Amino acid sequence: MIEATTERIIAPARNILGSLRLPGDKSISHRYALLGALAHGKTWLTNFSTGADCASSLSCAAALGATVERLEDGSIEITGTDGHFRHAEAPLDCGNSGSTMRMLAGLLAPQRSAYTLTGDASLSRRPMERVRKPLAQMGADIHLTEGHAPMVIRGSELQGIDYTTPVPSAQVKSAVLFAGLQASGTTTVREAVRTRDHSELALRAFGAQLERTMESVTIAGGQQLHGIEAAVPGDISSAAFFLCAAALFPESNLVFEGLGLNPTRATLLDVLTALGAHIGVLNLEEKNGELVGTVQVNAPQDGLTGTTISGGLAAQLIDELPVLAAIAPYTKHGIRIRDAKELRVKESDRIALVAQNLRAMGAEVVEFDDGLDVPGNQPLHAAEIDSGGDHRIAMAFTIAALRARGATVIRGAESAAISFPEFFDLMDLVAER
């Protein structure tokens, strides 16, 4: 966690107007970096995520023997290790990135060496048993400290398994598939709620063959990956904050170019449409299996309505739930969130922090173990917001502050750099005051 030291003052806005091209999708950037490090040959990536989390994946790739170069035009060139990572002389620092640690565990477990994965204080509190357990079933030798990092991996020969994820998690699914790629036999991952499929698409882009059904993914071991050239689509999780901001102002008009529109990630567009926002999708095309397009958003003249988010929908929207909750007071009927207990074990307890900060801004909120009830038709006033060093909390309440009365202070604003260093500059660009 980044220590909360920087404050940012957010003045109310009159409107949201403009056009944006966002940095590369964080989830895709992680996977391209890690698979590029394992692959044979060179991988060349443009629009790679600028967030600190993805920089952690690149630094780990370099420590494992891949050559990582940042070219003058901003692109990333990775020369892979042809399937054989070298021994890391020092612990691999995953920073604040749970994605890096969990997916790297799957890549390292079949490698014939010993590795230690560490992270910052926030990452060291997040649950890692969920990834250790299936990898152990494959024969991996992995040790944790009371279920948390540091993670010590002693690479060994793995056997494919048929595994059903108890909690929907794209990171756990990815770790098992990455291990299965290097294991004996075949590996199948089953999930009751389909999670984002960036790993399946990335594996195919790098040359792996796998079989998919609605409930499962199967991969055969012993396949070699080959480097690719790819432009990373704009990050829709980063766009979420701007989409929600534009949905709050009746005269808004915001356009996103080159935005990733993967169906397992674009659920937010459906939710905003259900709330009454006008969403248009143009120029849709496929690149390395990922859908990319131009998105235009306009707010409804009579304001957003309200909705309930639960079940599989909550799992698909897990990263976007904080900002949806933050704008819920401005809707007519409020937003009800359930089945989102996973928010308790993110970079912070996001349920608790959302409730705390909404109350600080004058809203009534009912907090549940697995979610929140945020009634609508509640005006918000300026307050001091405690981000908890959590990037998504800092950005979510920046959006809430745009419609609040008075100037709001975001404490720990620098945490936004974990995923989106350009956030505040781009918000100033499109927010009319």
Side-chain angles (χ1 to χ4, degrees), residues 406-427:
T408 295
V409 177
I410 307 291
R411 290 166 45 205
E414 77 283 353
S415 60
I418 289 170
S419 62
F420 196 179
E422 303 88 350
F423 171 73
F424 290 106
D425 289 341
L426 292 180
M427 186 56 69

mmCIF file of all heavy atoms in Angstrom, residues 406-427:
data_model
loop_
_atom_site.group_PDB
_atom_site.id
_atom_site.type_symbol
_atom_site.label_atom_id
_atom_site.label_comp_id
_atom_site.label_asym_id
_atom_site.label_seq_id
_atom_site.Cartn_x
_atom_site.Cartn_y
_atom_site.Cartn_z
ATOM 1 N N GLY A 406 -19.481 21.997 -2.573
ATOM 2 C CA GLY A 406 -18.206 22.369 -1.964
ATOM 3 C C GLY A 406 -17.056 21.533 -2.496
ATOM 4 O O GLY A 406 -17.239 20.613 -3.299
ATOM 5 N N ALA A 407 -15.847 21.882 -2.044
ATOM 6 C CA ALA A 407 -14.628 21.219 -2.518
ATOM 7 C C ALA A 407 -14.246 20.072 -1.591
ATOM 8 O O ALA A 407 -14.066 20.262 -0.387
ATOM 9 C CB ALA A 407 -13.482 22.228 -2.606
ATOM 10 N N THR A 408 -14.105 18.894 -2.154
ATOM 11 C CA THR A 408 -13.789 17.674 -1.405
ATOM 12 C C THR A 408 -12.287 17.420 -1.415
ATOM 13 O O THR A 408 -11.611 17.674 -2.416
ATOM 14 C CB THR A 408 -14.529 16.470 -2.017
ATOM 15 O OG1 THR A 408 -15.937 16.660 -1.850
ATOM 16 C CG2 THR A 408 -14.124 15.160 -1.363
ATOM 17 N N VAL A 409 -11.763 16.924 -0.305
ATOM 18 C CA VAL A 409 -10.343 16.586 -0.184
ATOM 19 C C VAL A 409 -10.194 15.063 -0.235
ATOM 20 O O VAL A 409 -10.801 14.344 0.562
ATOM 21 C CB VAL A 409 -9.746 17.129 1.126
ATOM 22 C CG1 VAL A 409 -8.288 16.690 1.267
ATOM 23 C CG2 VAL A 409 -9.845 18.649 1.153
ATOM 24 N N ILE A 410 -9.393 14.561 -1.170
ATOM 25 C CA ILE A 410 -9.084 13.133 -1.271
ATOM 26 C C ILE A 410 -7.720 12.911 -0.626
ATOM 27 O O ILE A 410 -6.699 13.375 -1.127
ATOM 28 C CB ILE A 410 -9.041 12.658 -2.735
ATOM 29 C CG1 ILE A 410 -10.318 13.045 -3.479
ATOM 30 C CG2 ILE A 410 -8.806 11.147 -2.784
ATOM 31 C CD1 ILE A 410 -11.560 12.337 -3.074
ATOM 32 N N ARG A 411 -7.707 12.235 0.504
ATOM 33 C CA ARG A 411 -6.434 11.912 1.179
ATOM 34 C C ARG A 411 -5.873 10.616 0.609
ATOM 35 O O ARG A 411 -6.596 9.658 0.401
ATOM 36 C CB ARG A 411 -6.667 11.784 2.682
ATOM 37 C CG ARG A 411 -6.972 13.127 3.352
ATOM 38 C CD ARG A 411 -7.540 12.963 4.757
ATOM 39 N NE ARG A 411 -6.800 11.979 5.526
ATOM 40 C CZ ARG A 411 -7.318 11.287 6.551
ATOM 41 N NH1 ARG A 411 -8.572 11.496 6.906
ATOM 42 N NH2 ARG A 411 -6.600 10.416 7.206
ATOM 43 N N GLY A 412 -4.570 10.603 0.357
ATOM 44 C CA GLY A 412 -3.943 9.427 -0.262
ATOM 45 C C GLY A 412 -4.215 9.358 -1.745
ATOM 46 O O GLY A 412 -4.296 8.283 -2.332
ATOM 47 N N ALA A 413 -4.335 10.522 -2.376
ATOM 48 C CA ALA A 413 -4.687 10.571 -3.798
ATOM 49 C C ALA A 413 -3.618 9.921 -4.675
ATOM 50 O O ALA A 413 -3.922 9.428 -5.763
ATOM 51 C CB ALA A 413 -4.901 12.021 -4.223
ATOM 52 N N GLU A 414 -2.389 9.876 -4.199
ATOM 53 C CA GLU A 414 -1.317 9.318 -5.026
ATOM 54 C C GLU A 414 -1.490 7.822 -5.254
ATOM 55 O O GLU A 414 -0.867 7.237 -6.140
ATOM 56 C CB GLU A 414 0.056 9.605 -4.396
ATOM 57 C CG GLU A 414 0.432 8.729 -3.215
ATOM 58 C CD GLU A 414 -0.279 9.124 -1.930
ATOM 59 O OE1 GLU A 414 -0.966 10.158 -1.896
ATOM 60 O OE2 GLU A 414 -0.142 8.379 -0.935
ATOM 61 N N SER A 415 -2.356 7.179 -4.479
ATOM 62 C CA SER A 415 -2.586 5.747 -4.675
ATOM 63 C C SER A 415 -3.177 5.449 -6.048
ATOM 64 O O SER A 415 -3.065 4.322 -6.539
ATOM 65 C CB SER A 415 -3.516 5.203 -3.581
ATOM 66 O OG SER A 415 -4.764 5.857 -3.598
ATOM 67 N N ALA A 416 -3.790 6.430 -6.706
ATOM 68 C CA ALA A 416 -4.325 6.220 -8.051
ATOM 69 C C ALA A 416 -3.256 5.726 -9.016
ATOM 70 O O ALA A 416 -3.549 5.026 -9.995
ATOM 71 C CB ALA A 416 -4.959 7.508 -8.586
ATOM 72 N N ALA A 417 -1.993 6.065 -8.749
ATOM 73 C CA ALA A 417 -0.908 5.681 -9.646
ATOM 74 C C ALA A 417 -0.693 4.175 -9.702
ATOM 75 O O ALA A 417 -0.042 3.679 -10.629
ATOM 76 C CB ALA A 417 0.392 6.373 -9.227
ATOM 77 N N ILE A 418 -1.232 3.437 -8.736
ATOM 78 C CA ILE A 418 -1.108 1.980 -8.759
ATOM 79 C C ILE A 418 -1.686 1.419 -10.052
ATOM 80 O O ILE A 418 -1.129 0.513 -10.663
ATOM 81 C CB ILE A 418 -1.803 1.364 -7.523
ATOM 82 C CG1 ILE A 418 -0.981 1.682 -6.264
ATOM 83 C CG2 ILE A 418 -1.996 -0.141 -7.677
ATOM 84 C CD1 ILE A 418 -1.688 1.331 -4.974
ATOM 85 N N SER A 419 -2.818 1.977 -10.497
ATOM 86 C CA SER A 419 -3.430 1.478 -11.721
ATOM 87 C C SER A 419 -3.553 2.534 -12.819
ATOM 88 O O SER A 419 -3.647 2.192 -13.990
ATOM 89 C CB SER A 419 -4.822 0.913 -11.431
ATOM 90 O OG SER A 419 -5.700 1.913 -10.934
ATOM 91 N N PHE A 420 -3.552 3.834 -12.443
ATOM 92 C CA PHE A 420 -3.945 4.854 -13.415
ATOM 93 C C PHE A 420 -3.277 6.189 -13.090
ATOM 94 O O PHE A 420 -3.925 7.131 -12.620
ATOM 95 C CB PHE A 420 -5.470 4.984 -13.361
ATOM 96 C CG PHE A 420 -6.112 5.697 -14.513
ATOM 97 C CD1 PHE A 420 -7.488 5.849 -14.551
ATOM 98 C CD2 PHE A 420 -5.373 6.235 -15.566
ATOM 99 C CE1 PHE A 420 -8.121 6.500 -15.598
ATOM 100 C CE2 PHE A 420 -5.980 6.899 -16.615
ATOM 101 C CZ PHE A 420 -7.371 7.017 -16.623
ATOM 102 N N PRO A 421 -1.969 6.335 -13.356
ATOM 103 C CA PRO A 421 -1.248 7.565 -12.985
ATOM 104 C C PRO A 421 -1.826 8.831 -13.613
ATOM 105 O O PRO A 421 -1.703 9.913 -13.042
ATOM 106 C CB PRO A 421 0.174 7.300 -13.489
ATOM 107 C CG PRO A 421 0.285 5.817 -13.619
ATOM 108 C CD PRO A 421 -1.089 5.328 -13.960
ATOM 109 N N GLU A 422 -2.467 8.702 -14.782
ATOM 110 C CA GLU A 422 -2.968 9.877 -15.509
ATOM 111 C C GLU A 422 -4.362 10.304 -15.058
ATOM 112 O O GLU A 422 -4.927 11.258 -15.606
ATOM 113 C CB GLU A 422 -3.017 9.573 -17.017
ATOM 114 C CG GLU A 422 -1.692 9.137 -17.612
ATOM 115 C CD GLU A 422 -1.466 7.632 -17.509
ATOM 116 O OE1 GLU A 422 -2.247 6.940 -16.806
ATOM 117 O OE2 GLU A 422 -0.500 7.143 -18.120
ATOM 118 N N PHE A 423 -4.938 9.616 -14.083
ATOM 119 C CA PHE A 423 -6.353 9.799 -13.753
ATOM 120 C C PHE A 423 -6.730 11.259 -13.503
ATOM 121 O O PHE A 423 -7.655 11.791 -14.122
ATOM 122 C CB PHE A 423 -6.720 8.943 -12.533
ATOM 123 C CG PHE A 423 -8.095 9.226 -11.994
ATOM 124 C CD1 PHE A 423 -9.224 8.805 -12.674
ATOM 125 C CD2 PHE A 423 -8.265 9.944 -10.815
ATOM 126 C CE1 PHE A 423 -10.496 9.066 -12.194
ATOM 127 C CE2 PHE A 423 -9.534 10.217 -10.322
ATOM 128 C CZ PHE A 423 -10.648 9.775 -11.021
ATOM 129 N N PHE A 424 -6.041 11.912 -12.597
ATOM 130 C CA PHE A 424 -6.442 13.279 -12.224
ATOM 131 C C PHE A 424 -6.240 14.265 -13.368
ATOM 132 O O PHE A 424 -7.056 15.165 -13.580
ATOM 133 C CB PHE A 424 -5.702 13.725 -10.970
ATOM 134 C CG PHE A 424 -6.153 13.008 -9.726
ATOM 135 C CD1 PHE A 424 -5.351 12.037 -9.135
ATOM 136 C CD2 PHE A 424 -7.383 13.280 -9.151
ATOM 137 C CE1 PHE A 424 -5.765 11.363 -8.000
ATOM 138 C CE2 PHE A 424 -7.814 12.614 -8.012
ATOM 139 C CZ PHE A 424 -7.003 11.655 -7.443
ATOM 140 N N ASP A 425 -5.168 14.095 -14.123
ATOM 141 C CA ASP A 425 -4.938 14.989 -15.255
ATOM 142 C C ASP A 425 -6.036 14.833 -16.304
ATOM 143 O O ASP A 425 -6.530 15.825 -16.857
ATOM 144 C CB ASP A 425 -3.574 14.702 -15.899
ATOM 145 C CG ASP A 425 -2.419 15.156 -15.019
ATOM 146 O OD1 ASP A 425 -2.659 15.994 -14.117
ATOM 147 O OD2 ASP A 425 -1.295 14.666 -15.224
ATOM 148 N N LEU A 426 -6.432 13.597 -16.587
ATOM 149 C CA LEU A 426 -7.475 13.371 -17.582
ATOM 150 C C LEU A 426 -8.833 13.853 -17.075
ATOM 151 O O LEU A 426 -9.645 14.374 -17.852
ATOM 152 C CB LEU A 426 -7.534 11.889 -17.968
ATOM 153 C CG LEU A 426 -6.321 11.358 -18.740
ATOM 154 C CD1 LEU A 426 -6.501 9.870 -19.065
ATOM 155 C CD2 LEU A 426 -6.095 12.143 -20.024
ATOM 156 N N MET A 427 -9.072 13.711 -15.781
ATOM 157 C CA MET A 427 -10.331 14.199 -15.222
ATOM 158 C C MET A 427 -10.409 15.718 -15.335
ATOM 159 O O MET A 427 -11.444 16.285 -15.698
ATOM 160 C CB MET A 427 -10.474 13.757 -13.762
ATOM 161 C CG MET A 427 -11.848 14.101 -13.155
ATOM 162 S SD MET A 427 -13.231 13.415 -14.103
ATOM 163 C CE MET A 427 -13.012 11.667 -13.776
#
